[in-house]
Amino acid sequence: QEQLVESGGGSVQAGGSLRLSCTASGRTFSRYAMGWFRQAPGKEREFVAAINWMSRDTYYADSVKGRFTISRDNAKNTVYLQMNSLKPEDTAVYYCAAHERGSYFEAVSYGYWGQGTQVTVSS
């Protein structure tokens, strides 16, 4: 059974950093582009970042560009999201997902999802 498991969430003060990890099991996702999305209470799930399978191309939402970095280690079947200079508006549940087809920026393009990890940033 394919599974994506996120970890690394928590509570930090504004300006702090967190590193999220997403580890896959049951299937090798090394040939999949991978993405991170987030969803705040009362809001729709939104794109955060994506990386293609060879790590040659990365994509970011404008709101996180310059602060967040996505990377992957295919040998470990793991994708990371390094989040620096965190802001209260970054507070959300963060999900990793494996891309299947279509735009990297749309949630419908992703076929496998983790259960999410909570990130809370206090001012």
Side-chain angles (χ1 to χ4, degrees), residues 41-112:
K43 295 188 176 181
E44 292 188 356
R45 191 168 297 190
E46 66 173 1
F47 170 80
V48 175
I51 185 168
N52 71 354
W53 75 276
M54 292 187 70
S55 303
R56 288 179 180 170
D57 297 302
T58 56
Y59 308 85
Y60 297 95
D62 288 342
S63 59
V64 306
K65 205 170 292 184
R67 301 188 297 121
F68 291 11
T69 302
I70 188 171
S71 62
R72 66 190 298 165
D73 184 337
N74 287 338
K76 295 182 178 179
N77 231 10
T78 300
V79 179
Y80 305 97
L81 185 68
Q82 177 68 42
M83 305 187 296
N84 298 327
S85 302
L86 282 161
K87 304 175 181 180
E89 51 263 44
D90 294 319
T91 296
V93 177
Y94 283 71
Y95 300 89
C96 74
H99 177 265
E100 287 196 313
R101 64 182 64 85
S103 168
Y104 288 157
F105 301 94
E106 302 292 335
V108 295
S109 302
Y110 294 76
Y112 300 92

Side-chain angles (χ1 to χ4, degrees), residues 14-29:
S17 298
L18 284 173
R19 188 195 196 201
L20 305 184
S21 299
C22 171
T23 300
S25 61
R27 171 187 284 258
T28 298
F29 286 95

